Amino acid sequence: MDALIPPLLNGSAQGALLLLAALGLSLTFGQMGVINMAHGEFLMIGAFTAYLVQQAIGSGDLSIPVALPVAFIVAGLLGLLLEASLIQWMYRRPLDTLLVTVGVSLILRQAALQLFPAQGVPVKTPDWLDGQVNILGYHWPMRQLFTVLLAIACVAALAAWLKYTSFGRRIRATVQNRDLAETAGIPTRTVDRLTFFVGSGLAGVAGVAASLIGGTNSQMGTQYIIPAFLVVVAGGIGQLKGTVIAAWVVGVALSCFAYWTTGSLAQVLAFILVIVFLQLRPQGLFTVRSRSLV
Amino acid sequence: MTKLKPWLSLIGIAVFAVLLLGVAPLVLTDHWLSNLGKYCCWAIVAVGIGLAWGRGGMLVMGQGVFFALGAYSMAMHLTLETAGDGVPGFMVLYDPLAPLPAFWEPFRSAAFTLLAIVVLPVIVAGLLGYALFKRRVKGAYLAILTQALAVALATLISSTIRETGGDTGLSDFKYFFGFVLRDPANRQMVYLIAAALLVVCLLVVWQLYRSRFGELLVATRDAEERVRFLGYDPANIKLVAFVGSALMASIGGAMFVPIVGIITPAEIGAAASILMIAGVAFGGRASLFGPVLGAMAVGWGQSSLGSTWPDGWTYIIGLLFIVVILFLPQGLSSALARLTSAIRSTGERPAAATAAPELEEAKS
């Protein structure tokens, strides 16, 4: 049990963080076919927002609850700006959105490096998040539990938004058949923008969670973007439940591999795991049945 | 390019070869010749990226992996050559009695090293490409998976300090297959080898592009399904291009080591792999000379601007990506082609250039 439960708990938190990072990607990539490589930098912006909020109102109990919506809005607005300035011109060129956003991510990273100290900034954990909870006799840091709960809340909110609101219906309609949706009077441009706003905003929320667990610096985006993409790919494009399961599996696998071997070997093993998995299910965990020629 | 007569490209290669092999060693200082050699190495990698991405439509964002295979094979051999019969210095640093790791041992042999530079990337790219292409992994998936591999490899090398030198990498090579590397004449020889290999790579892809295989590769890029219906297996066609590009990346990496004198994980990770892409995108991914000239321009920019003004250089590379991809998706060479065809357009067909309709869908 000693070799199983700690990595399982730790891995669940890691998976939750990955899930938060992947949620926005799953929305923009899955629903819109846009590959946003700057998503990791939006996450970084969320983390820096948490720091700035703490600078403004102090690192009291309220700092994190305030930082979450602020980070959502800041990252979301930046995403909106990115969509309006660059991405809207290239919806039919997915690989090119990937390259353009690589350029954006380089610029954002460099800007962060110049605006903030190179070694990063500390985001202080409020007292109520600093303790530990007892799970089956093992101590689980409160921060990790918080990340898991936050991820669950975000997934629930996103799923409900997509399923029950009229806007969610419009998004799904636009994704399924853009031309038909337009004919039916759905303002697809507005749908695109709002989807991008929410997707990017979720990266900001992920950044706040990441600032509590890892470091907050200009390089943190690169650390999350590749695993998050692997999670989206392994889960199946545009499949929320697939993303959730894949995030948890990859998080636990990374944690277990790191526990049994070393952190860097764990990354290689996780990568091999995803490749092997894609051999078995090239379309990911859950797929939309389609008769289109691949 | 518009359908230039094949011999025109051949003349281009010949002029390029004369400039690189004949003129450059005469007019450049040792310092700049060595820099040019470094750009040649990146250009070799770029020719491979042009083959896989420009012609084959496979955006590989992890060429650093294959660059590393060649570079570390070469670096291990040169390190052992310098160490003589002993164990390389950095290994002894941690444990004076440490034996040489088993996988280093064969690299004592020059023949094995040269073989490894060629065979290792073929095996790795062959297995990876087979696994991915047979399952029809493509487009953004391929880009992300290959980049993940580059990140994983760089992390792995960073963390194995005792076996690979970790973040400090391998350096301080004294000999290159028996030649003293400090000697300017020998350094010139190493440059000439790199430049000659670049010319050879250009000749190879020139021949490939005008062969039936080249036609099939472009057909697979533009309409994979139709190629399949015609009875060809697109996976095999892509595999050949992918392995070819990996081999060129490995050769570029192998020559990089004696010219630059150091190899570290920073030269192979995500950032380095992206920089290799930048040059190809800038020059023109689908043309013959675009990747070479683009890679050399980016290499030059990095060593001149990057050293004096590193902050600004990152912004420039970022902007380069945005501007080139947004306005000139086929790179500078397409702009040139459009310009020349505009000048001599006398009612002929407008230059469709190599406009590659990006048929791959992100959701495919």
Side-chain angles (χ1 to χ4, degrees):
Chain A
M1 290 304 265
D2 278 351
L4 206 63
I5 294 202
L8 207 63
L9 288 177
N10 186 37
S12 298
Q14 212 169 340
L17 199 54
L18 267 183
L19 177 57
L20 283 169
L23 264 189
L25 275 181
S26 175
L27 196 63
T28 48
F29 185 24
Q31 312 285 334
M32 300 165 77
V34 169
I35 299 125
N36 180 13
M37 293 299 277
H39 194 80
E41 275 61 44
F42 287 169
L43 187 146
M44 167 195 85
I45 285 164
F48 278 121
T49 306
Y51 169 74
L52 291 177
V53 165
Q54 289 198 340
Q55 293 293 305
I57 66 170
S59 54
D61 288 353
L62 274 178
S63 62
I64 294 304
V66 171
L68 283 172
V70 174
F72 181 86
I73 290 169
V74 169
L77 287 178
L78 268 165
L80 209 56
L81 186 68
L82 178 68
E83 203 275 348
S85 59
L86 295 174
I87 287 175
Q88 65 157 318
W89 310 109
M90 30 199 11
Y91 272 117
R92 290 182 193 281
R93 290 153 56 190
L95 271 186
D96 286 351
T97 60
L98 190 157
L99 290 169
V100 161
T101 49
V102 162
V104 173
S105 86
L106 287 174
I107 291 174
L108 288 176
R109 212 180 304 156
Q110 184 64 34
L113 192 63
Q114 290 188 285
L115 288 173
F116 296 96
Q119 74 275 16
V121 293
V123 173
K124 204 173 166 306
T125 311
D127 291 339
W128 61 279
L129 273 174
D130 219 8
Q132 292 181 325
V133 278
N134 207 326
I135 304 246
L136 300 172
Y138 293 92
H139 294 294
W140 203 23
M142 198 57 195
R143 286 175 297 179
Q144 296 200 356
L145 175 65
F146 173 73
T147 311
V148 172
L149 293 178
L150 184 66
I152 293 173
C154 284
V155 170
L158 186 62
W161 186 63
L162 283 175
K163 187 151 191 199
Y164 296 116
T165 66
S166 66
F167 214 97
R169 270 197 295 280
R170 286 178 187 173
I171 290 179
R172 282 181 293 140
T174 309
V175 169
Q176 278 175 14
N177 191 331
R178 175 172 291 267
D179 294 336
L180 199 58
E182 213 155 308
T183 320
I186 292 174
T188 50
R189 285 296 303 131
T190 318
V191 169
D192 290 340
R193 292 204 182 104
L194 195 73
T195 313
F196 219 85
F197 174 76
V198 173
S200 307
L202 283 169
V205 171
V208 177
S211 76
L212 292 172
I213 288 186
T216 300
N217 56 56
S218 64
Q219 299 301 315
M220 66 186 297
T222 46
Q223 187 185 328
Y224 290 99
I225 185 80
I226 293 291
F229 260 120
L230 289 183
V231 162
V232 175
V233 169
I237 303 304
Q239 297 291 311
L240 213 49
K241 61 184 168 188
T243 310
V244 173
I245 295 173
W248 187 74
V249 170
V250 171
V252 168
L254 269 174
S255 174
C256 286
F257 291 151
Y259 196 78
W260 296 328
T261 60
T262 62
S264 54
L265 203 58
Q267 278 195 24
V268 181
L269 289 173
F271 169 79
I272 293 171
L273 190 77
V274 172
I275 292 258
V276 170
F277 175 74
L278 283 179
Q279 289 298 298
L280 306 173
R281 294 190 71 98
Q283 303 290 310
L285 205 53
F286 295 100
T287 56
V288 187
R289 285 203 183 280
S290 152
R291 293 180 61 85
S292 82
L293 297 164
V294 178
Chain B
M1 294 273 131
T2 38
K3 281 276 174 195
L4 284 177
K5 297 217 165 54
W7 52 266
L8 242 149
S9 302
L10 203 55
I11 290 179
I13 296 178
V15 171
F16 189 63
V18 169
L19 283 177
L20 219 51
L21 294 165
V23 180
L26 293 179
V27 299
L28 291 181
T29 61
D30 285 350
H31 171 72
W32 276 105
L33 199 65
S34 155
N35 268 348
L36 185 62
K38 183 163 72 174
Y39 312 154
C40 282
C41 295
W42 280 323
I44 295 174
V45 183
V47 172
I49 295 178
L51 172 66
W53 180 32
R55 294 285 163 142
M58 295 168 277
L59 176 55
V60 278
M61 292 182 76
Q63 280 313 71
V65 171
F66 305 112
F67 190 82
L69 288 179
Y72 273 90
S73 296
M74 180 66 90
M76 280 154 72
H77 176 68
L78 299 190
T79 304
L80 288 173
E81 220 183 340
T82 308
D85 289 333
V87 173
F90 73 90
M91 292 182 182
V92 187
L93 213 59
Y94 299 96
D95 176 7
L97 295 173
L100 197 63
F103 71 96
W104 274 71
E105 204 57 60
F107 287 95
R108 282 197 191 281
S109 147
F112 178 88
T113 305
L114 292 178
L115 199 66
I117 290 167
V118 176
V119 173
L120 275 182
V122 171
I123 294 175
V124 174
L127 287 177
L128 186 72
Y130 185 84
L132 295 176
F133 300 138
K134 282 288 176 191
R135 299 304 286 179
R136 302 190 192 177
V137 172
K138 59 183 160 187
Y141 288 32
L142 185 71
I144 290 159
L145 284 174
T146 48
Q147 188 168 34
L149 191 59
V151 174
L153 184 66
T155 328
L156 189 65
I157 292 178
S158 290
S159 69
T160 48
I161 299 170
R162 225 194 72 71
E163 287 83 8
T164 63
D167 279 326
T168 17
L170 298 173
S171 58
D172 295 331
F173 315 116
K174 294 200 170 53
Y175 303 100
F176 175 74
F177 296 96
F179 294 94
V180 180
L181 262 176
R182 219 180 321 152
D183 186 348
N186 290 339
R187 296 188 60 82
Q188 198 170 51
M189 174 196 71
V190 175
Y191 159 79
L192 286 174
I193 297 175
L197 282 170
L198 173 57
V199 172
V200 169
C201 286
L202 268 172
L203 282 171
V204 168
V205 293
W206 173 74
Q207 176 57 32
L208 269 185
Y209 287 172
R210 53 198 283 276
S211 69
R212 171 187 282 272
F213 169 79
E215 300 280 330
L216 275 173
L217 186 62
V218 172
T220 307
R221 174 192 72 190
D222 292 344
E224 184 166 339
E225 274 316 311
R226 288 191 217 172
V227 172
R228 186 172 286 122
F229 291 155
L230 287 172
Y232 296 98
D233 187 351
N236 291 339
I237 299 166
K238 288 170 147 187
L239 191 60
V240 173
F242 184 65
V243 169
S245 81
L247 179 57
M248 288 184 200
S250 174
I251 291 172
M255 289 315 296
F256 183 86
V257 165
I259 289 176
V260 179
I262 182 168
I263 182 73
T264 66
E267 304 285 356
I268 64 169
S273 297
I274 282 171
L275 216 56
M276 297 175 193
I277 298 275
V280 178
F282 177 56
R285 57 181 101 151
S287 65
L288 186 64
F289 283 105
V292 173
L293 300 179
M296 290 190 150
V298 168
W300 174 80
Q302 198 190 16
S303 50
S304 53
L305 276 177
S307 56
T308 55
W309 193 34
D311 299 336
W313 169 242
T314 312
Y315 289 123
I316 290 176
I317 278 288
L319 275 175
L320 194 70
F321 260 114
I322 295 171
V323 172
V324 168
I325 301 294
L326 201 56
F327 298 110
L328 280 176
Q330 298 303 314
L332 274 188
S333 70
S334 75
L336 279 179
R338 237 179 281 166
L339 199 68
T340 50
S341 77
I343 288 168
R344 63 174 174 197
S345 83
T346 47
E348 283 183 55
R349 276 191 309 143
T354 27
E358 296 269 355
L359 283 184
E360 59 254 273
E361 291 287 326
K363 298 189 172 194
S364 61

